[in-house]
Amino acid sequence: MSRLPALYAAALAFCAAVLAARFFGAALAPAALSAALLLVVFVAAAGSGRVLLRVFGASGLSESEKTLVGATLGLGALSQLVFLLGAAALLRPWAAVALLGALWVVGFTELGDLFRSLGANRRLLVERPAAAAAVLLPLAAAFWACFVPPHQYDALVYHLPLAAAYAREGAIVQVPHLVYTHFPQNAEMLYALALLLGSDTLAQLFTWLTALLSVWWVFEMGKREQPLSVVLLACLLVSGHTAVLLLASSAYVECVVMLWTAASVFSFLRWRESAEGDGGRGWLALSGVFAGLGVGTKYSAALTPLLLGFWLLARWLRTRERARGLDLAAFACTAVCAGAPWLVKNLRAVGNPFFPFFYRWLPAHGVEGGAAAAERYFDMLAEYGRGEGWLGELVGFFLRAATGSPRYGGGADVVGTLGWAPLLLAVPVAVWAARRNGWLRALGLYSLAHWAAWFSTRVVLRFLVPLVPLFALPAAAGLHGVWSSAGRGGRWLLGTAGFLLALVNLGLFLYLHALFGSFPVLAGLEGRREFLSRRLDYYPCARFAAERLPQSDRILLLGEQRGYYVVQPHTATSVMTPNLFVRDADEARDPADLAGRLREERGYRWILEVPREARRLGEGYGVFSFSARGAANWEGLRARLETVYEEPGRCSVARIP
């Protein structure tokens, strides 16, 4: 009889699954598949990462810390292994599956401990169910938002198109119209893996996973030094940050950099705490590896190894002790080794390992536009630069950043400007808390140095998102200290303010997704094709091309940068690099000669035109700067084009005669 309740529970679960599949199966099936793939990759990375962790000999690790550090290390190793597959021209689905299978085999002996470790903190979280729910619910909302088809601007301009080009060609190749093809791309390697496995939703889930791991780092490292209430509040400051939530549900790389930055700094502080005295360097080597992985993801992440390396250098210069010199060497060597692959690739491909940096002094062969393209890139960033004196900019920064001003990120960068108010308003109490605690003081000083380096350039606020987990702990400790010292009335006011700020951040996240039109597709009321056709003018023509045109035919996108959904080889209009069709039009003798140049010299067979985006790029960025003869040639050619598909006012596909 004791089996009957279990049998009834199993039957009830089966019926529930059948009903869910009956009514929502069509909407849930792609999401369930992507989530299952994420779990497969996570287990492969975490299991093999736990094995790799033994090499470093880091001391004092709990089982949950082994899984956290192992998963972080394993994701980094996975991105490097995919890079090696691309360098060997083996970026194929079978190779991706074989790689994941190999990682499962490597980590097989760790799987039991891995799964048990996931419940290691259950007791702590059960003690604070409301706080734990407050941390996890925003992350759950971001997870849900990952199932909106990729549509964010930069994700479609270069993060996913680069990954798609590599997956299409089976190798890491140059994409001539994208200057970003020479940027570090550890995150794009994970996205390429996702595309090889057949899911661009998985690419967004990889970003979400790095945000989750960043919160986990705050929790694991924080609970060693601070009360659980402080740590949970710090986790909430990260998971409830609007910019983090928006970026975590898209194929942007800031959350990936956030993971490497948090892992590097926390590992560095763990080394100072546990091994500095006896010369152990396991945590220090891990810090260097994570710092190098950050550099291999985004150039701005170089602030982390530079700041930590400067501290180690100053420490060695004070005493000239051999042990301290070896500490510096260990950190520098591991950081360089982990960050080197993309720099070496650039050195071989364009002659400048740091392209587009130092473009005035180092060569840039093989890059369309060369130095001009690099200069144009930095000019684009400079639009967020100073508009007043240094002091005035400093005073105005906190107000602008807290209120989501477009000064530090308009247009596509607006997703990184929202949700900063709670952290910025906590700066005074964070300073107060850091004065009384050396560990918090170290986090605060690093945060200050990182922010100062960022502020000296005054570029995009989105680039500062990797700092969020590190400053969250001093901010949370300060807020907790005020709460503990305040009377009943003060606590009521503080609680009300915190609730309103959290509500604003979550509201901004939901508001942006309402503007995006995410909810119909998330609710299963709208399919992928309908959503993307509504969001992107060029998508219907891209689908026509994918379904009706030869897969090998080359397409010229006229007036559209976001070429991801064009599956054929293509060249998108660029605001960074020269658009060669403009030069061809200027040099051609007549429209027939221009058609011949595009067809025979460039290899284009079709033109996909997007009128509204073309007008925006032309008026805002001057990408259609034809000479008088070029304009006449271009208009003459357009009159001769044979239109094979058109969405009036939105896009058209035409054959080049």
Side-chain angles (χ1 to χ4, degrees):
M1 293 294 293
S2 61
R3 296 181 179 179
L4 290 178
L7 290 173
Y8 173 77
L12 188 62
F14 176 76
C15 290
V18 169
L19 285 174
R22 168 70 176 81
F23 291 109
F24 301 107
L28 292 177
L33 176 61
S34 299
L37 288 172
L38 179 70
L39 180 61
V40 169
V41 176
F42 170 77
V43 173
S48 58
R50 282 175 61 109
V51 174
L52 182 59
L53 187 56
R54 299 172 190 166
V55 176
F56 292 86
S59 60
L61 282 156
S62 67
E63 285 299 319
S64 57
E65 287 174 339
K66 287 181 182 178
T67 298
L68 168 62
V69 181
T72 307
L73 192 60
L75 276 179
L78 183 59
S79 69
Q80 303 279 36
L81 290 170
V82 175
F83 171 82
L84 292 177
L85 288 180
L90 290 175
L91 273 182
R92 301 297 181 189
W94 65 265
V97 172
L99 174 60
L100 290 176
L103 293 180
W104 268 76
V105 171
V106 169
F108 182 79
T109 58
E110 294 287 333
L111 294 187
D113 291 335
L114 187 158
F115 289 122
R116 282 189 293 272
S117 72
L118 296 177
N121 293 306
R122 182 174 53 192
R123 182 183 60 81
L124 293 176
L125 297 178
V126 167
E127 292 176 0
R128 309 289 178 90
V135 171
L136 295 176
L137 282 176
L139 290 172
F143 180 82
W144 181 45
C146 287
F147 299 108
V148 180
H151 62 94
Q152 295 84 358
Y153 203 91
D154 284 5
L156 301 188
V157 170
Y158 64 99
H159 294 305
L160 288 175
L162 286 173
Y166 303 153
R168 182 170 58 245
E169 299 297 330
I172 295 175
V173 296
Q174 293 193 42
V175 182
H177 66 273
L178 291 177
V179 68
Y180 312 99
T181 193
H182 305 295
F183 284 29
Q185 295 171 47
N186 279 339
E188 282 79 2
M189 292 297 95
L190 296 177
Y191 300 160
L193 175 65
L195 298 182
L196 289 172
L197 295 176
S199 173
D200 53 17
T201 300
L202 179 59
Q204 298 185 141
L205 287 171
F206 279 148
T207 312
W208 176 85
L209 177 61
T210 60
L212 174 66
L213 291 174
S214 298
V215 174
W216 195 355
W217 272 93
V218 172
F219 181 79
E220 288 291 350
M221 299 297 116
K223 72 181 183 180
R224 297 172 54 85
E225 304 288 341
Q226 294 292 310
L228 183 60
S229 53
V230 170
V231 177
L232 289 173
L233 178 57
C235 292
L236 178 59
L237 288 173
V238 181
S239 70
H241 195 299
T242 308
V244 171
L245 293 176
L246 290 169
L247 293 167
S249 53
S250 67
Y252 279 39
V253 305
E254 274 66 33
C255 287
V256 185
V257 178
M258 180 172 72
L259 173 61
W260 306 138
T261 302
S264 179
V265 175
F266 282 130
S267 296
F268 189 88
L269 296 182
R270 189 69 172 267
W271 163 73
R272 287 187 61 197
E273 166 202 328
S274 64
E276 185 178 7
D278 59 17
R281 299 188 180 93
W283 282 104
L284 183 61
L286 283 170
S287 177
V289 168
F290 294 138
L293 289 170
V295 174
T297 305
K298 195 179 185 75
Y299 280 130
S300 59
L303 284 175
T304 300
L306 288 175
L307 292 173
L308 297 181
F310 179 79
W311 186 91
L312 288 169
L313 176 63
R315 173 176 170 269
W316 172 66
L317 289 175
R318 283 198 303 269
T319 63
R320 299 299 179 98
E321 293 180 3
R322 181 175 180 273
R324 294 190 172 190
L326 291 175
D327 291 338
L328 173 61
F331 178 82
C333 288
T334 52
V336 168
C337 289
W342 289 102
L343 305 183
V344 172
K345 176 260 182 188
N346 271 1
L347 181 63
R348 295 187 60 186
V350 301
N352 177 358
F354 310 105
F355 184 84
F357 290 92
F358 311 121
Y359 67 91
R360 297 183 188 275
W361 302 281
L362 295 176
H365 56 75
V367 181
E368 284 189 7
E375 186 173 12
R376 179 61 174 156
Y377 171 75
F378 290 113
D379 285 345
M380 293 281 290
L381 293 180
E383 69 181 67
Y384 303 124
R386 62 174 67 85
E388 54 195 56
W390 187 89
L391 182 60
E393 189 75 25
L394 177 64
V395 172
F397 165 77
F398 291 95
L399 177 62
R400 294 189 183 103
T403 56
S405 168
R407 175 62 171 278
Y408 298 112
D413 290 316
V414 72
V415 294
T417 65
L418 302 175
W420 289 91
L423 281 178
L424 294 177
L425 293 173
V427 167
V429 294
V431 173
W432 172 64
R435 289 179 59 193
R436 302 179 299 167
N437 183 287
W439 189 75
L440 293 176
R441 185 161 56 250
L443 285 174
L445 289 173
Y446 175 86
S447 299
L448 176 62
H450 191 121
W451 172 84
W454 172 88
F455 183 75
S456 67
T457 62
R458 280 178 284 277
V459 288
V460 185
L461 190 56
R462 173 164 54 90
F463 295 175
L464 206 58
V465 165
L467 196 58
V468 170
L470 299 173
F471 186 66
L473 279 159
L479 292 170
H480 184 267
V482 172
W483 175 273
S484 301
S485 304
R488 182 176 179 182
R491 289 186 176 185
W492 188 89
L493 289 172
L494 189 62
T496 302
F499 176 77
L500 288 175
L501 287 171
L503 198 62
V504 167
N505 275 15
L506 184 59
L508 287 170
F509 171 74
L510 297 175
Y511 175 72
L512 260 291
H513 275 285
L515 288 181
F516 295 154
S518 302
F519 297 117
V521 70
L522 289 173
L525 301 176
E526 186 175 55
R528 176 186 177 95
R529 177 173 295 198
E530 292 77 17
F531 170 78
L532 291 172
S533 296
R534 176 168 51 82
R535 283 288 299 160
L536 305 170
D537 276 358
Y538 84 98
Y539 183 77
C541 291
R543 290 309 310 162
F544 171 83
E547 295 168 358
R548 305 290 292 275
L549 301 184
Q551 296 296 297
S552 60
D553 279 9
R554 190 168 180 81
I555 299 175
L556 172 63
L557 271 67
L558 178 61
E560 181 57 75
Q561 297 190 91
R562 297 163 292 180
Y564 170 63
Y565 288 110
V566 178
V567 300
Q568 286 92 344
H570 62 271
T571 300
T573 299
S574 174
V575 301
M576 298 288 183
T577 55
N579 291 285
L580 298 183
F581 66 84
V582 174
R583 188 176 71 186
D584 290 338
D586 290 344
E587 295 177 354
R589 296 185 304 274
D590 51 41
D593 184 34
L594 174 57
R597 288 170 180 256
L598 294 177
R599 189 179 58 250
E600 305 303 330
E601 296 182 20
R602 307 294 180 196
Y604 300 121
R605 293 293 178 268
W606 309 90
I607 290 179
L608 194 163
E609 184 173 2
V610 189
R612 284 193 294 194
E613 185 69 0
R615 285 195 297 271
R616 188 182 76 85
L617 296 181
E619 294 168 1
Y621 301 96
V623 297
F624 303 107
S625 53
F626 296 104
S627 66
R629 184 172 71 174
N633 286 335
W634 187 250
E635 290 303 320
L637 173 62
R638 292 177 69 188
R640 300 182 180 191
L641 294 176
E642 177 190 348
T643 301
V644 296
Y645 180 83
E646 183 177 11
E647 286 280 327
R650 303 188 69 200
C651 68
S652 63
V653 179
R655 187 195 312 273
I656 299 176

